Amino acid sequence: MAAALLWLFEDPENVGWIKPTGSMQGNGFGLGQMSHALAWLYFVTDLEPEKVCCSMLHSEKTGADITDIAIVHCAGNAIMSIHGTASMPFKSYFESTKHIHMKIFGSGGVLSYGGEDQHPESGGLRLELFDGTDQHLPGFYFENYQAEGDGPESLQVFLSGCTGTKILNAADAMIGRKVVATLDAMYKSAKTGQFEVIKPFETANEIDYTIYLFD
């Protein structure tokens, strides 16, 4: 994942984006941007992270991480290689896009998804199998933050859930916990220079959820 966001992470006034608070181990491009890419990966693969080794480059102006590289060992003998940087050249808020490139290698073949957000025509989804099958679904849809019309899909799904409509929750509590745990281990590992072990996850049935209903 690459973005033109040095203007955000190298500005000392953007405290919420660059300074850790509470139990946060760090703050910057990892928490601020790579969290989105990780959520997609965990939703698609259903992998469970077990330990993480990470190296980061930090801004000399703010101390926020602006480039992150990590190896994530997951249950089932799967390994993720993660790369992210805020160092793309900046044009303008509306012209600068985020570049996302995902590749998932499995026993049957390769699943690829990538492109530039805000430009669906820039990429798409591709499945290449060892048996010669090659399927391509054009269109890259990753992050929509345009305010025109009925708003982004995330807002539409939220409102649908509020009205009792059945929805697909692509970022539920379990995915959120995997993302936060991975990033927490990344920041710890960047400090220690060692693999950081992630506490085993509970199943959804073992978590006590409190549901709030609003009229």
Side-chain angles (χ1 to χ4, degrees), residues 21-42:
T21 58
S23 60
M24 292 168 60
Q25 298 296 320
N27 199 4
F29 190 79
L31 277 168
Q33 297 299 309
M34 293 183 72
S35 51
H36 301 292
L38 282 169
W40 186 89
L41 280 170
Y42 284 130

mmCIF file with all atom_site columns, all heavy atoms in Angstrom, residues 21-42:
data_model
loop_
_atom_site.group_PDB
_atom_site.id
_atom_site.type_symbol
_atom_site.label_atom_id
_atom_site.label_alt_id
_atom_site.label_comp_id
_atom_site.label_asym_id
_atom_site.label_entity_id
_atom_site.label_seq_id
_atom_site.pdbx_PDB_ins_code
_atom_site.Cartn_x
_atom_site.Cartn_y
_atom_site.Cartn_z
_atom_site.occupancy
_atom_site.B_iso_or_equiv
_atom_site.pdbx_formal_charge
_atom_site.auth_seq_id
_atom_site.auth_comp_id
_atom_site.auth_asym_id
_atom_site.auth_atom_id
_atom_site.pdbx_PDB_model_num
ATOM 1   N N   . THR A 1 21 ? -1.517  7.403   21.954 1.00 0.00 ? 21 THR A N   1
ATOM 2   C CA  . THR A 1 21 ? -2.211  7.726   23.194 1.00 0.00 ? 21 THR A CA  1
ATOM 3   C C   . THR A 1 21 ? -2.634  6.427   23.879 1.00 0.00 ? 21 THR A C   1
ATOM 4   O O   . THR A 1 21 ? -2.759  5.383   23.236 1.00 0.00 ? 21 THR A O   1
ATOM 5   C CB  . THR A 1 21 ? -3.467  8.584   22.925 1.00 0.00 ? 21 THR A CB  1
ATOM 6   O OG1 . THR A 1 21 ? -4.349  7.885   22.029 1.00 0.00 ? 21 THR A OG1 1
ATOM 7   C CG2 . THR A 1 21 ? -3.093  9.912   22.312 1.00 0.00 ? 21 THR A CG2 1
ATOM 8   N N   . GLY A 1 22 ? -2.861  6.498   25.168 1.00 0.00 ? 22 GLY A N   1
ATOM 9   C CA  . GLY A 1 22 ? -3.297  5.324   25.914 1.00 0.00 ? 22 GLY A CA  1
ATOM 10  C C   . GLY A 1 22 ? -2.289  4.194   25.804 1.00 0.00 ? 22 GLY A C   1
ATOM 11  O O   . GLY A 1 22 ? -1.101  4.385   26.048 1.00 0.00 ? 22 GLY A O   1
ATOM 12  N N   . SER A 1 23 ? -2.756  3.019   25.407 1.00 0.00 ? 23 SER A N   1
ATOM 13  C CA  . SER A 1 23 ? -1.888  1.842   25.319 1.00 0.00 ? 23 SER A CA  1
ATOM 14  C C   . SER A 1 23 ? -1.287  1.651   23.929 1.00 0.00 ? 23 SER A C   1
ATOM 15  O O   . SER A 1 23 ? -0.661  0.620   23.654 1.00 0.00 ? 23 SER A O   1
ATOM 16  C CB  . SER A 1 23 ? -2.678  0.584   25.694 1.00 0.00 ? 23 SER A CB  1
ATOM 17  O OG  . SER A 1 23 ? -3.784  0.410   24.818 1.00 0.00 ? 23 SER A OG  1
ATOM 18  N N   . MET A 1 24 ? -1.465  2.636   23.041 1.00 0.00 ? 24 MET A N   1
ATOM 19  C CA  . MET A 1 24 ? -0.912  2.529   21.687 1.00 0.00 ? 24 MET A CA  1
ATOM 20  C C   . MET A 1 24 ? 0.610   2.446   21.728 1.00 0.00 ? 24 MET A C   1
ATOM 21  O O   . MET A 1 24 ? 1.257   3.178   22.468 1.00 0.00 ? 24 MET A O   1
ATOM 22  C CB  . MET A 1 24 ? -1.341  3.733   20.840 1.00 0.00 ? 24 MET A CB  1
ATOM 23  C CG  . MET A 1 24 ? -2.819  3.779   20.527 1.00 0.00 ? 24 MET A CG  1
ATOM 24  S SD  . MET A 1 24 ? -3.341  5.375   19.817 1.00 0.00 ? 24 MET A SD  1
ATOM 25  C CE  . MET A 1 24 ? -2.322  5.449   18.334 1.00 0.00 ? 24 MET A CE  1
ATOM 26  N N   . GLN A 1 25 ? 1.181   1.545   20.935 1.00 0.00 ? 25 GLN A N   1
ATOM 27  C CA  . GLN A 1 25 ? 2.626   1.368   20.873 1.00 0.00 ? 25 GLN A CA  1
ATOM 28  C C   . GLN A 1 25 ? 3.298   2.345   19.907 1.00 0.00 ? 25 GLN A C   1
ATOM 29  O O   . GLN A 1 25 ? 4.518   2.515   19.919 1.00 0.00 ? 25 GLN A O   1
ATOM 30  C CB  . GLN A 1 25 ? 2.953   -0.068  20.448 1.00 0.00 ? 25 GLN A CB  1
ATOM 31  C CG  . GLN A 1 25 ? 2.468   -1.116  21.415 1.00 0.00 ? 25 GLN A CG  1
ATOM 32  C CD  . GLN A 1 25 ? 3.149   -1.013  22.764 1.00 0.00 ? 25 GLN A CD  1
ATOM 33  O OE1 . GLN A 1 25 ? 4.353   -0.769  22.849 1.00 0.00 ? 25 GLN A OE1 1
ATOM 34  N NE2 . GLN A 1 25 ? 2.383   -1.196  23.827 1.00 0.00 ? 25 GLN A NE2 1
ATOM 35  N N   . GLY A 1 26 ? 2.514   2.986   19.088 1.00 0.00 ? 26 GLY A N   1
ATOM 36  C CA  . GLY A 1 26 ? 3.022   3.942   18.109 1.00 0.00 ? 26 GLY A CA  1
ATOM 37  C C   . GLY A 1 26 ? 1.861   4.496   17.309 1.00 0.00 ? 26 GLY A C   1
ATOM 38  O O   . GLY A 1 26 ? 0.709   4.120   17.511 1.00 0.00 ? 26 GLY A O   1
ATOM 39  N N   . ASN A 1 27 ? 2.169   5.378   16.356 1.00 0.00 ? 27 ASN A N   1
ATOM 40  C CA  . ASN A 1 27 ? 1.110   5.947   15.519 1.00 0.00 ? 27 ASN A CA  1
ATOM 41  C C   . ASN A 1 27 ? 1.736   6.483   14.239 1.00 0.00 ? 27 ASN A C   1
ATOM 42  O O   . ASN A 1 27 ? 2.855   6.986   14.247 1.00 0.00 ? 27 ASN A O   1
ATOM 43  C CB  . ASN A 1 27 ? 0.371   7.058   16.254 1.00 0.00 ? 27 ASN A CB  1
ATOM 44  C CG  . ASN A 1 27 ? -0.991  7.348   15.641 1.00 0.00 ? 27 ASN A CG  1
ATOM 45  O OD1 . ASN A 1 27 ? -1.422  6.679   14.708 1.00 0.00 ? 27 ASN A OD1 1
ATOM 46  N ND2 . ASN A 1 27 ? -1.679  8.342   16.179 1.00 0.00 ? 27 ASN A ND2 1
ATOM 47  N N   . GLY A 1 28 ? 0.996   6.360   13.149 1.00 0.00 ? 28 GLY A N   1
ATOM 48  C CA  . GLY A 1 28 ? 1.488   6.823   11.862 1.00 0.00 ? 28 GLY A CA  1
ATOM 49  C C   . GLY A 1 28 ? 0.806   6.104   10.726 1.00 0.00 ? 28 GLY A C   1
ATOM 50  O O   . GLY A 1 28 ? -0.388  5.802   10.797 1.00 0.00 ? 28 GLY A O   1
ATOM 51  N N   . PHE A 1 29 ? 1.569   5.813   9.683  1.00 0.00 ? 29 PHE A N   1
ATOM 52  C CA  . PHE A 1 29 ? 0.996   5.206   8.486  1.00 0.00 ? 29 PHE A CA  1
ATOM 53  C C   . PHE A 1 29 ? 0.392   3.831   8.763  1.00 0.00 ? 29 PHE A C   1
ATOM 54  O O   . PHE A 1 29 ? -0.608  3.462   8.157  1.00 0.00 ? 29 PHE A O   1
ATOM 55  C CB  . PHE A 1 29 ? 2.071   5.083   7.403  1.00 0.00 ? 29 PHE A CB  1
ATOM 56  C CG  . PHE A 1 29 ? 1.518   4.694   6.061  1.00 0.00 ? 29 PHE A CG  1
ATOM 57  C CD1 . PHE A 1 29 ? 0.898   5.624   5.248  1.00 0.00 ? 29 PHE A CD1 1
ATOM 58  C CD2 . PHE A 1 29 ? 1.621   3.387   5.617  1.00 0.00 ? 29 PHE A CD2 1
ATOM 59  C CE1 . PHE A 1 29 ? 0.381   5.261   4.013  1.00 0.00 ? 29 PHE A CE1 1
ATOM 60  C CE2 . PHE A 1 29 ? 1.113   3.011   4.377  1.00 0.00 ? 29 PHE A CE2 1
ATOM 61  C CZ  . PHE A 1 29 ? 0.488   3.956   3.568  1.00 0.00 ? 29 PHE A CZ  1
ATOM 62  N N   . GLY A 1 30 ? 0.982   3.085   9.673  1.00 0.00 ? 30 GLY A N   1
ATOM 63  C CA  . GLY A 1 30 ? 0.460   1.754   9.980  1.00 0.00 ? 30 GLY A CA  1
ATOM 64  C C   . GLY A 1 30 ? -0.977  1.807   10.459 1.00 0.00 ? 30 GLY A C   1
ATOM 65  O O   . GLY A 1 30 ? -1.886  1.243   9.840  1.00 0.00 ? 30 GLY A O   1
ATOM 66  N N   . LEU A 1 31 ? -1.201  2.501   11.560 1.00 0.00 ? 31 LEU A N   1
ATOM 67  C CA  . LEU A 1 31 ? -2.547  2.601   12.120 1.00 0.00 ? 31 LEU A CA  1
ATOM 68  C C   . LEU A 1 31 ? -3.459  3.450   11.250 1.00 0.00 ? 31 LEU A C   1
ATOM 69  O O   . LEU A 1 31 ? -4.635  3.158   11.087 1.00 0.00 ? 31 LEU A O   1
ATOM 70  C CB  . LEU A 1 31 ? -2.486  3.179   13.533 1.00 0.00 ? 31 LEU A CB  1
ATOM 71  C CG  . LEU A 1 31 ? -2.168  2.188   14.651 1.00 0.00 ? 31 LEU A CG  1
ATOM 72  C CD1 . LEU A 1 31 ? -1.849  2.913   15.940 1.00 0.00 ? 31 LEU A CD1 1
ATOM 73  C CD2 . LEU A 1 31 ? -3.345  1.241   14.869 1.00 0.00 ? 31 LEU A CD2 1
ATOM 74  N N   . GLY A 1 32 ? -2.903  4.509   10.671 1.00 0.00 ? 32 GLY A N   1
ATOM 75  C CA  . GLY A 1 32 ? -3.728  5.449   9.930  1.00 0.00 ? 32 GLY A CA  1
ATOM 76  C C   . GLY A 1 32 ? -4.162  4.972   8.557  1.00 0.00 ? 32 GLY A C   1
ATOM 77  O O   . GLY A 1 32 ? -5.199  5.399   8.053  1.00 0.00 ? 32 GLY A O   1
ATOM 78  N N   . GLN A 1 33 ? -3.356  4.070   7.921  1.00 0.00 ? 33 GLN A N   1
ATOM 79  C CA  . GLN A 1 33 ? -3.665  3.668   6.552  1.00 0.00 ? 33 GLN A CA  1
ATOM 80  C C   . GLN A 1 33 ? -3.611  2.158   6.321  1.00 0.00 ? 33 GLN A C   1
ATOM 81  O O   . GLN A 1 33 ? -4.524  1.584   5.737  1.00 0.00 ? 33 GLN A O   1
ATOM 82  C CB  . GLN A 1 33 ? -2.687  4.366   5.580  1.00 0.00 ? 33 GLN A CB  1
ATOM 83  C CG  . GLN A 1 33 ? -2.794  5.871   5.578  1.00 0.00 ? 33 GLN A CG  1
ATOM 84  C CD  . GLN A 1 33 ? -4.167  6.353   5.153  1.00 0.00 ? 33 GLN A CD  1
ATOM 85  O OE1 . GLN A 1 33 ? -4.682  5.937   4.118  1.00 0.00 ? 33 GLN A OE1 1
ATOM 86  N NE2 . GLN A 1 33 ? -4.771  7.231   5.928  1.00 0.00 ? 33 GLN A NE2 1
ATOM 87  N N   . MET A 1 34 ? -2.562  1.496   6.780  1.00 0.00 ? 34 MET A N   1
ATOM 88  C CA  . MET A 1 34 ? -2.430  0.068   6.506  1.00 0.00 ? 34 MET A CA  1
ATOM 89  C C   . MET A 1 34 ? -3.516  -0.760  7.182  1.00 0.00 ? 34 MET A C   1
ATOM 90  O O   . MET A 1 34 ? -3.750  -1.911  6.823  1.00 0.00 ? 34 MET A O   1
ATOM 91  C CB  . MET A 1 34 ? -1.047  -0.427  6.926  1.00 0.00 ? 34 MET A CB  1
ATOM 92  C CG  . MET A 1 34 ? 0.072   0.145   6.077  1.00 0.00 ? 34 MET A CG  1
ATOM 93  S SD  . MET A 1 34 ? 1.698   -0.499  6.512  1.00 0.00 ? 34 MET A SD  1
ATOM 94  C CE  . MET A 1 34 ? 1.581   -2.175  5.890  1.00 0.00 ? 34 MET A CE  1
ATOM 95  N N   . SER A 1 35 ? -4.184  -0.169  8.164  1.00 0.00 ? 35 SER A N   1
ATOM 96  C CA  . SER A 1 35 ? -5.297  -0.853  8.821  1.00 0.00 ? 35 SER A CA  1
ATOM 97  C C   . SER A 1 35 ? -6.381  -1.231  7.809  1.00 0.00 ? 35 SER A C   1
ATOM 98  O O   . SER A 1 35 ? -7.011  -2.290  7.921  1.00 0.00 ? 35 SER A O   1
ATOM 99  C CB  . SER A 1 35 ? -5.889  0.049   9.912  1.00 0.00 ? 35 SER A CB  1
ATOM 100 O OG  . SER A 1 35 ? -6.176  1.346   9.398  1.00 0.00 ? 35 SER A OG  1
ATOM 101 N N   . HIS A 1 36 ? -6.589  -0.395  6.792  1.00 0.00 ? 36 HIS A N   1
ATOM 102 C CA  . HIS A 1 36 ? -7.605  -0.676  5.778  1.00 0.00 ? 36 HIS A CA  1
ATOM 103 C C   . HIS A 1 36 ? -7.222  -1.896  4.947  1.00 0.00 ? 36 HIS A C   1
ATOM 104 O O   . HIS A 1 36 ? -8.045  -2.781  4.681  1.00 0.00 ? 36 HIS A O   1
ATOM 105 C CB  . HIS A 1 36 ? -7.792  0.534   4.860  1.00 0.00 ? 36 HIS A CB  1
ATOM 106 C CG  . HIS A 1 36 ? -8.195  1.776   5.581  1.00 0.00 ? 36 HIS A CG  1
ATOM 107 N ND1 . HIS A 1 36 ? -9.416  1.927   6.176  1.00 0.00 ? 36 HIS A ND1 1
ATOM 108 C CD2 . HIS A 1 36 ? -7.519  2.937   5.801  1.00 0.00 ? 36 HIS A CD2 1
ATOM 109 C CE1 . HIS A 1 36 ? -9.500  3.124   6.730  1.00 0.00 ? 36 HIS A CE1 1
ATOM 110 N NE2 . HIS A 1 36 ? -8.358  3.749   6.525  1.00 0.00 ? 36 HIS A NE2 1
ATOM 111 N N   . ALA A 1 37 ? -5.965  -1.937  4.518  1.00 0.00 ? 37 ALA A N   1
ATOM 112 C CA  . ALA A 1 37 ? -5.493  -3.052  3.699  1.00 0.00 ? 37 ALA A CA  1
ATOM 113 C C   . ALA A 1 37 ? -5.501  -4.354  4.495  1.00 0.00 ? 37 ALA A C   1
ATOM 114 O O   . ALA A 1 37 ? -5.867  -5.416  3.983  1.00 0.00 ? 37 ALA A O   1
ATOM 115 C CB  . ALA A 1 37 ? -4.091  -2.759  3.173  1.00 0.00 ? 37 ALA A CB  1
ATOM 116 N N   . LEU A 1 38 ? -5.099  -4.291  5.751  1.00 0.00 ? 38 LEU A N   1
ATOM 117 C CA  . LEU A 1 38 ? -5.099  -5.486  6.594  1.00 0.00 ? 38 LEU A CA  1
ATOM 118 C C   . LEU A 1 38 ? -6.517  -6.014  6.800  1.00 0.00 ? 38 LEU A C   1
ATOM 119 O O   . LEU A 1 38 ? -6.747  -7.227  6.812  1.00 0.00 ? 38 LEU A O   1
ATOM 120 C CB  . LEU A 1 38 ? -4.451  -5.175  7.939  1.00 0.00 ? 38 LEU A CB  1
ATOM 121 C CG  . LEU A 1 38 ? -2.926  -5.118  7.955  1.00 0.00 ? 38 LEU A CG  1
ATOM 122 C CD1 . LEU A 1 38 ? -2.434  -4.533  9.273  1.00 0.00 ? 38 LEU A CD1 1
ATOM 123 C CD2 . LEU A 1 38 ? -2.326  -6.499  7.729  1.00 0.00 ? 38 LEU A CD2 1
ATOM 124 N N   . ALA A 1 39 ? -7.469  -5.117  6.976  1.00 0.00 ? 39 ALA A N   1
ATOM 125 C CA  . ALA A 1 39 ? -8.852  -5.547  7.164  1.00 0.00 ? 39 ALA A CA  1
ATOM 126 C C   . ALA A 1 39 ? -9.343  -6.309  5.939  1.00 0.00 ? 39 ALA A C   1
ATOM 127 O O   . ALA A 1 39 ? -10.021 -7.338  6.059  1.00 0.00 ? 39 ALA A O   1
ATOM 128 C CB  . ALA A 1 39 ? -9.751  -4.334  7.429  1.00 0.00 ? 39 ALA A CB  1
ATOM 129 N N   . TRP A 1 40 ? -8.986  -5.845  4.744  1.00 0.00 ? 40 TRP A N   1
ATOM 130 C CA  . TRP A 1 40 ? -9.388  -6.545  3.523  1.00 0.00 ? 40 TRP A CA  1
ATOM 131 C C   . TRP A 1 40 ? -8.751  -7.933  3.482  1.00 0.00 ? 40 TRP A C   1
ATOM 132 O O   . TRP A 1 40 ? -9.416  -8.926  3.179  1.00 0.00 ? 40 TRP A O   1
ATOM 133 C CB  . TRP A 1 40 ? -8.970  -5.741  2.293  1.00 0.00 ? 40 TRP A CB  1
ATOM 134 C CG  . TRP A 1 40 ? -9.469  -6.319  0.996  1.00 0.00 ? 40 TRP A CG  1
ATOM 135 C CD1 . TRP A 1 40 ? -10.662 -6.041  0.380  1.00 0.00 ? 40 TRP A CD1 1
ATOM 136 C CD2 . TRP A 1 40 ? -8.812  -7.285  0.176  1.00 0.00 ? 40 TRP A CD2 1
ATOM 137 N NE1 . TRP A 1 40 ? -10.769 -6.781  -0.787 1.00 0.00 ? 40 TRP A NE1 1
ATOM 138 C CE2 . TRP A 1 40 ? -9.657  -7.544  -0.936 1.00 0.00 ? 40 TRP A CE2 1
ATOM 139 C CE3 . TRP A 1 40 ? -7.595  -7.956  0.263  1.00 0.00 ? 40 TRP A CE3 1
ATOM 140 C CZ2 . TRP A 1 40 ? -9.317  -8.444  -1.946 1.00 0.00 ? 40 TRP A CZ2 1
ATOM 141 C CZ3 . TRP A 1 40 ? -7.251  -8.858  -0.742 1.00 0.00 ? 40 TRP A CZ3 1
ATOM 142 C CH2 . TRP A 1 40 ? -8.104  -9.095  -1.830 1.00 0.00 ? 40 TRP A CH2 1
ATOM 143 N N   . LEU A 1 41 ? -7.467  -8.009  3.801  1.00 0.00 ? 41 LEU A N   1
ATOM 144 C CA  . LEU A 1 41 ? -6.767  -9.298  3.765  1.00 0.00 ? 41 LEU A CA  1
ATOM 145 C C   . LEU A 1 41 ? -7.375  -10.302 4.736  1.00 0.00 ? 41 LEU A C   1
ATOM 146 O O   . LEU A 1 41 ? -7.601  -11.465 4.387  1.00 0.00 ? 41 LEU A O   1
ATOM 147 C CB  . LEU A 1 41 ? -5.289  -9.092  4.094  1.00 0.00 ? 41 LEU A CB  1
ATOM 148 C CG  . LEU A 1 41 ? -4.404  -8.588  2.959  1.00 0.00 ? 41 LEU A CG  1
ATOM 149 C CD1 . LEU A 1 41 ? -3.024  -8.206  3.480  1.00 0.00 ? 41 LEU A CD1 1
ATOM 150 C CD2 . LEU A 1 41 ? -4.282  -9.642  1.864  1.00 0.00 ? 41 LEU A CD2 1
ATOM 151 N N   . TYR A 1 42 ? -7.665  -9.862  5.954  1.00 0.00 ? 42 TYR A N   1
ATOM 152 C CA  . TYR A 1 42 ? -8.225  -10.782 6.943  1.00 0.00 ? 42 TYR A CA  1
ATOM 153 C C   . TYR A 1 42 ? -9.657  -11.178 6.588  1.00 0.00 ? 42 TYR A C   1
ATOM 154 O O   . TYR A 1 42 ? -10.083 -12.301 6.870  1.00 0.00 ? 42 TYR A O   1
ATOM 155 C CB  . TYR A 1 42 ? -8.166  -10.163 8.334  1.00 0.00 ? 42 TYR A CB  1
ATOM 156 C CG  . TYR A 1 42 ? -6.780  -10.196 8.937  1.00 0.00 ? 42 TYR A CG  1
ATOM 157 C CD1 . TYR A 1 42 ? -6.195  -9.056  9.479  1.00 0.00 ? 42 TYR A CD1 1
ATOM 158 C CD2 . TYR A 1 42 ? -6.046  -11.374 8.963  1.00 0.00 ? 42 TYR A CD2 1
ATOM 159 C CE1 . TYR A 1 42 ? -4.927  -9.089  10.022 1.00 0.00 ? 42 TYR A CE1 1
ATOM 160 C CE2 . TYR A 1 42 ? -4.767  -11.413 9.500  1.00 0.00 ? 42 TYR A CE2 1
ATOM 161 C CZ  . TYR A 1 42 ? -4.216  -10.267 10.026 1.00 0.00 ? 42 TYR A CZ  1
ATOM 162 O OH  . TYR A 1 42 ? -2.947  -10.307 10.563 1.00 0.00 ? 42 TYR A OH  1
#
